[in-house]
Every structure is written in C-alpha cells, then in structure tokens.
Amino acid sequence: MYGRDPWGGPLEIHTADSATDDDRSRNLQDFDRAAMSRSLDETQQSWLLGPTEQKKKKYVDLGCIIVSRKIFKWTVGCIIAAALLAGFITMIVKLVPRHKHHNPPPDNYTLALRKALMFFNAQKSGKLPKHNNVSWRGNSCLQDGKSDSSTTFKNLVGGYYDAGDAIKFNFPQSFALTMLSWSVIEYSAKYEAAGELAHVKDTIKWGTDYLLKTFNSSADTIDRIAAQVGNGDTSGGSTEPNDHYCWVRPEDIDYTRPVTECHSCSDLAAEMAAALASASIVFKDNKAYSQKLVHGARTLFKFSRDQRGRYSVGNDGAKFYNSTGYWDEFIWGAAWLYYATGNSSYLQLATTPGIAKHAGAFWGGPDYGVLSWDNKLTGAQVLLSRMRLFLSPGYPYEEILSTFHNQTSIIMCSYLPIFTSFNRTKGGLIQLNHGRPQPLQYVVNAAFLATLYSDYLAAADTPGWYCGPNFYSTDVLRKFAETQIDYILGKNPRKMSYVVGFGNHYPKHVHHRGASIPKNKVKYNCKGGWKYRDSSKANPNTIVGAMVAGPDKHDGFRDVRSNYNYTEPTLAGNAGLVAALVALSGDRDVGIDKNTLFSAVPPMFPTPPPPPAPWKP
C-alpha cells in the first residue's frame, strides 16, 4: 500500500509483513554493534555512552598555569613539611629557658634627676607623708598661721622651706612650682621612663595645696595674700629668735613665726597664678582639682591686675627675694592662664605691646635673657614662641609673637660660646650673673630653655635657627646645655659634683640647718645649734639631690657651712635643675609633647586684618 508523501514522493508502509518485536530488537542490536565497531571521539562517546570512568590526568590546572601533578604534590608536601618544622622550632624556642635582656643602665642625667627630686622631700614643711623617704626629717611647724594672732590666715601648715632656713617665701616657691609643672607638661614621657612621674606630681601638689591656703581660693575677688611665713631679719644686731638667728632643726622650732600679708603685690599674685594655672594642666586628669587650681589662678591674676605694686616693698622679702618689677609676671601669668583656660582675653593681655615694653622685651641690658625667680620675661617669650611655632594664630597676635620669637632666637645665640654676651670661667661655666655669687640657679634655667627650644624646633621640623647671617643646628643648643649640666655634675676643674649625693666628690658641709644637726632626740635651743653651724665636721645628714649655690667666677669653691654663697641650696635652683635634667635625660628621640600644653586651647582661626583706609585723592 502506498500512501501519499506530502513532499511529493511515495511512502511505503508495511502492514502485513511486519517483524515481531524480538526481531526488531535483534536488528537494532546488529546496527549498534556495527556502529560501535567504528572508533568514536571523546565527545561522541559522552553523548552516546554516558559517563565512563576517566583516567587520572597527568597535569593540574591552576587557572593561570598548568603544572605537572607530581610537581604539584611535591610542592604542597614541602610547604606542609616546612610549616611543621617552623612550628616545631618555634615551640622549642618558646619552651627553652633563655636569659632576659636587661635595659641599658640609666644615663647620668636620669640618675641625677632621681636625686634632685629628693631635695624637695627634705624641704617639706608640716605633717610629712609616710613615703617621704628622708629619714632625718619629721613633722614641723604645725602651728604656722595659728601662732600669729595678727593674720587672718590661721592654717598655713605645709608647703616648702626655701633653702637652708625654715622661711616659706611664696615668691620663689611659686616660681619653682611653675618650672616643675612646665617640665612635666613638656616631658611627661621622660619622667615616666625614669620612674619619677608620680613623684614629681606629688611634689607639685604638695606646693599647690599650700598655695591654696595663702589666699581665699574659693572667692572670685580677694584683697590680700599671705606672702611669707617666718622671719629672717637680723639687722641691727637683733637677737630675737627667728629663722636666721636660730640654728635649729625645723622639727624643734618653738618660737613665733610671723605671717607677712600683702595687699598690693602684683608680681607675687601673678607668679602664684602662673604656678596654679600650669599645675592645672599637669592635673587635668583630676577634673575637680584642676578646676580648683584654675579658679584660684583666675582670682589671683585679677588681684594682681587690680592692686598694682611690688610685693617686696617695705618688708622682709626685700632682703632676700627683692622683686624688680611685675610686668614680666603679667606676661608670664597671662600666658599660663591662656593655656590653662583657652580664654583669649589672657592671650590678648600677654601679647599687649605696652606690657611687653614695660617688661623690657624691646631692649637689652646686662641681665637680658636670664630666666630667674625675679625675671620671667625670657621664659614667657619661649612659652609664647611655642604658640607661633605650632599654632600660627596670625592676626592680631602675629606681630608681637614674631617679636618674642626673634628675641628668643637672639637669646639662644647669646648662650653660644662664639658670642660674648656672657663670659665663661676657664672651666666653661657660663656667667649669666656676671660673676656674682650663686651662679648655678641661672645656669640650670638656661640649660632647660636651650634644650626645650631645640626640641621645639625639632618638633616643628626645623633643623636650626639663624644668628645674624649664620645658621646653627639645634645640636649646638643641646650641646650647650649638656656642657653646663656636665660641669655641675662634676666635669669641672675641681672634679666636684655640685649636686649632693651624685658622684663620689660633692659638698659635705651644706648650709642647711636640718642636714647639719644630728637626729639624736636632743632639742637644741636657738643658740645651742650654733656649734653645728660653726663645726668643721661634715653634715651628719646627707641632703640628697641638693644643688648648692656653686663656684665663683674662677671655678673656685669653698666647702664651708658658714658661706651660703657657696653651699646653700634653694627651691628655685633645684626646680631649674630638675627641669634641665629631665629635658636632657633618656632617649633623645623622645621629644616634647606638642599637644598637652594646648589641651584647653580652642581651634584658632586667624582674624582677617582690618581693611585699608579708603583712598583719598
């Protein structure tokens, strides 16, 4: 039967003679065997035969490269073996006991720093803390204030004795505290490395706690300050018992100690304000105490501006710590208050040209550039140069800050041996007080400022500064400081250390009442201690860390107790020594802390200068 092929051809359909299913199956198998007899490629096999067991490849495809499977296995095995070996070695190294590497021994500056701070422990008045660590000292002068019926300040216990006597002079004591605080603010990392940060902060707090008692620190306005406790006037042959006529241990004092009040004392009040303001930055982590110090500093500075006058006029202070003026304290105190509060009114005052002129900022003189308990201008100029170097406040402060910066550069030049502003002894000690007695207190202050200024320049990525047309490296400044401190520590013609307890050869007859009288449970009366004052024997008590007044202009030194111009130490002198030592100590790469001093200063956006006057034809 034929059917019609829709494409035009016949289509044969077998209906009658159809094979059975078995036959068809056998026929298909025959066709399959015929087809399989022909070799198929891999793709065809996968189509027709489905998945089959493949042979292992000789290569490994890693994506970017193809490597031999043997090499791949060998490489992975080596890596695992190396890791196991490294782990085993590390385990052995950690488990095997080994010798500890000791830190290098501390340098001389660090050793001397630790001793210099001990001097303040020996000078403490009042009820001593248990950890004072000066075996021959005890509680003393617990009636200060109460024993003087004429004063309104009844609790003046505490603070520091000034020198070898038992008088408490607020003027040099405040300066000493400001110097210590400044050194902590700049070099806290070095104090910490020396293990003395807590010690120096305790030293500062002992002083600031006392200063807060010497005026009404809770008030906003005051009219008086307790300027001094004790009396040392022996003029006119007076034999009245006082702190200079009597040679007794502070613990044995039983005579009345008068309190000197002042009602117009700008210099003292501004210096006390500087001490409290700088300390408030040191203790900024103790918010309540820091704010208490700031409030006291504000009150004192307001008093200093309202009641003009020198504190030392017509009183006992004039004989020992006579102030020559108060304009330098205005700049000094205002600068510290600005850093402590961020209040721009203090900065405006510190940069007022008229005040700077009165302070002597624009003219020289024999003592220009000498930082001391009396004249803080040099310190204030360095302090404000810091602001110009790091904050660049611009107008309206730039002109006076630029002047202070230039003056600081000139002062640093005057410290160098190639200039003749100051003579030097044959042994190399700079004569900042022009050959007058007690030179070391001025030398240590200059060494501190020189090191600090060199660190300022280094922190500002400035390699040096100009003295006229010549450029000098900051290394020159540091070298100056090192030579001066090295002289004090023993590199001098006499091979004598002028810091008691440092080295093997140091003064043994220090002009100091407590150190010269044995602690033998015997209470000597006013004249009874004179035998120890006049004795040629060495002091029975070593006043560790005391820097004595120093040698004369010929490098000569007389180790005699009766001559205080050689052998008496002071608070102000030792504070400068501590500051210089910490600045020079430890790792030289550990410089200043740029930010701590500015922690309260708000961001500064320079005020645009006023427009020029309109043009007139």
Side-chain angles (χ1 to χ4, degrees), residues 326-578:
Y326 49 74
W327 298 100
D328 55 310
E329 279 86 11
F330 281 164
I331 302 174
W332 178 245
W336 279 115
L337 269 164
Y338 175 66
Y339 288 138
T341 66
N343 187 327
S344 61
S345 65
Y346 293 116
L347 180 60
Q348 291 168 7
L349 194 150
T351 54
T352 300
I355 294 178
K357 181 180 179 180
H358 283 300
F362 307 130
W363 54 275
D367 296 323
Y368 187 80
V370 181
L371 175 62
S372 72
W373 52 263
D374 179 32
N375 194 336
K376 291 88 180 183
L377 175 63
T378 302
Q381 289 175 324
V382 172
L383 193 61
L384 290 168
S385 295
R386 189 192 208 279
M387 171 175 288
R388 185 170 188 257
L389 282 168
F390 299 128
L391 296 185
S392 301
Y395 181 86
Y397 310 113
E398 171 59 23
E399 184 175 356
I400 189 67
L401 290 180
S402 175
T403 299
F404 286 157
H405 194 174
N406 291 336
Q407 292 298 313
T408 296
S409 297
I410 293 170
I411 290 165
M412 295 300 154
C413 297
S414 73
Y415 293 159
L416 304 184
I418 55 174
F419 295 94
T420 58
S421 302
F422 302 102
N423 293 328
R424 278 171 166 75
T425 66
K426 289 184 179 179
L429 185 69
I430 190 170
Q431 296 291 285
L432 293 169
N433 64 338
H434 304 287
R436 296 190 293 269
Q438 307 173 29
L440 297 187
Q441 58 180 313
Y442 310 103
V443 173
V444 291
N445 289 341
F448 170 64
L449 292 183
T451 309
L452 181 63
Y453 189 65
S454 71
D455 284 342
Y456 283 174
L457 293 178
D461 295 323
T462 305
W465 86 110
Y466 280 95
C467 295
N470 300 318
F471 186 82
Y472 292 93
S473 165
T474 54
D475 290 338
V476 178
L477 272 183
R478 193 176 185 92
K479 184 66 176 176
F480 158 75
E482 289 175 347
T483 58
Q484 298 305 303
I485 298 301
D486 289 347
Y487 180 105
I488 294 171
L489 296 182
K491 289 186 178 181
N492 55 62
R494 297 183 63 87
K495 308 298 182 187
M496 171 174 274
S497 165
Y498 293 112
V499 178
V500 177
F502 183 85
N504 297 320
H505 184 38
Y506 52 82
K508 302 294 197 300
H509 303 79
V510 180
H511 182 96
H512 192 277
R513 286 160 174 76
S516 66
I517 301 175
K519 185 180 180 181
N520 54 11
K521 297 183 179 180
V522 177
K523 182 177 179 179
Y524 298 96
N525 61 24
C526 191
K527 292 184 180 180
W530 287 8
K531 63 181 180 181
Y532 294 107
R533 179 194 66 187
D534 302 330
S535 171
S536 60
K537 294 181 180 179
N539 287 352
N541 306 311
T542 303
I543 182 164
V544 175
M547 183 185 74
V548 296
D552 59 30
K553 60 184 177 182
H554 304 295
D555 296 307
F557 182 79
R558 295 184 61 208
D559 187 10
V560 291
R561 196 174 297 107
S562 59
N563 195 330
Y564 59 86
N565 281 330
Y566 288 113
T567 59
E568 186 170 26
T570 64
L571 283 179
N574 255 71
L577 173 67
V578 167

Side-chain angles (χ1 to χ4, degrees), residues 46-334:
S46 66
W47 288 345
L48 297 175
L49 304 179
T52 60
E53 185 178 350
Q54 297 181 0
K55 293 183 179 179
K56 289 186 178 179
K57 296 180 180 179
K58 294 182 178 180
Y59 299 96
V60 176
D61 189 350
L62 298 178
C64 55
I65 58 171
I66 298 175
V67 298
S68 168
R69 180 176 292 276
K70 286 184 178 180
I71 295 176
F72 178 74
K73 288 182 177 180
W74 185 85
T75 303
V76 172
C78 288
I79 292 173
I80 294 172
L84 291 172
L85 180 62
F88 182 69
I89 293 173
T90 302
M91 183 176 67
I92 292 175
V93 170
K94 287 184 174 293
L95 293 178
V96 173
R98 60 188 184 275
H99 296 291
K100 292 183 178 179
H101 294 285
H102 296 288
N103 293 327
D107 55 84
N108 279 346
Y109 303 127
T110 301
L111 293 173
L113 170 66
R114 292 169 179 166
K115 294 183 181 295
L117 280 169
M118 285 297 296
F119 171 73
F120 292 90
N121 293 30
Q123 295 301 103
K124 284 181 178 176
S125 177
K127 187 175 182 179
L128 301 184
K130 293 180 180 179
H131 59 275
N132 198 51
N133 296 331
V134 180
S135 61
W136 46 273
R137 281 301 323 278
N139 300 336
S140 60
C141 296
L142 302 180
Q143 297 299 312
D144 280 356
K146 296 177 184 176
S147 62
D148 186 351
S149 59
S150 65
T151 183
T152 59
F153 302 102
K154 296 303 180 185
N155 180 11
L156 294 176
V157 177
Y160 290 98
Y161 301 126
D162 173 64
D165 50 42
I167 304 176
K168 295 190 291 196
F169 292 105
N170 280 9
F171 194 49
Q173 181 175 178
S174 298
F175 174 71
L177 295 173
T178 308
M179 290 294 287
L180 290 177
S181 293
W182 193 3
S183 70
V184 172
I185 293 166
E186 303 285 15
Y187 296 109
S188 61
K190 289 193 172 187
Y191 273 114
E192 195 160 11
E196 294 292 335
L197 182 59
H199 185 185
V200 71
K201 290 176 75 171
D202 284 345
T203 299
I204 294 168
K205 190 173 186 298
W206 187 269
T208 53
D209 283 349
Y210 170 71
L211 289 186
L212 290 171
K213 296 178 180 181
T214 61
F215 68 102
N216 187 356
S217 59
S218 62
D220 295 329
T221 302
I222 57 174
D223 64 354
R224 69 189 65 199
I225 297 174
Q228 176 182 325
V229 179
N231 178 29
D233 185 10
T234 57
S235 61
S238 173
T239 58
E240 286 292 320
N242 68 25
D243 294 291
H244 276 176
Y245 182 75
C246 299
W247 193 273
V248 297
R249 299 174 66 242
E251 291 80 1
D252 295 336
I253 290 176
D254 57 6
Y255 48 79
T256 301
R257 285 162 56 81
V259 175
T260 302
E261 293 184 2
C262 68
H263 299 267
S264 58
C265 36
S266 299
D267 36 20
L268 172 60
E271 180 56 69
M272 290 172 65
L276 298 185
S278 57
S280 75
I281 302 173
V282 172
F283 296 106
K284 62 186 177 69
D285 293 337
N286 184 345
K287 189 173 181 181
Y289 189 65
S290 181
Q291 289 179 345
K292 186 176 183 179
L293 293 173
V294 167
H295 181 269
R298 288 178 181 272
T299 300
L300 285 165
F301 198 74
K302 182 179 185 300
F303 173 68
S304 76
R305 296 285 292 160
D306 292 342
Q307 304 292 329
R308 301 292 179 88
R310 290 187 299 119
Y311 95 98
S312 56
V313 174
N315 60 45
D316 197 45
K319 302 177 182 67
F320 307 104
Y321 289 100
N322 185 45
S323 173
T324 55
Y326 49 74
W327 298 100
D328 55 310
E329 279 86 11
F330 281 164
I331 302 174
W332 178 245

Side-chain angles (χ1 to χ4, degrees), residues 568-617:
E568 186 170 26
T570 64
L571 283 179
N574 255 71
L577 173 67
V578 167
L581 287 171
V582 73
L584 291 170
S585 70
D587 188 351
R588 184 171 178 175
D589 294 333
V590 179
I592 61 158
D593 184 337
K594 280 201 297 186
N595 300 317
T596 302
L597 190 57
F598 300 138
S599 58
V601 175
M604 304 197 75
F605 304 100
T607 305
W615 182 81
K616 293 182 180 180

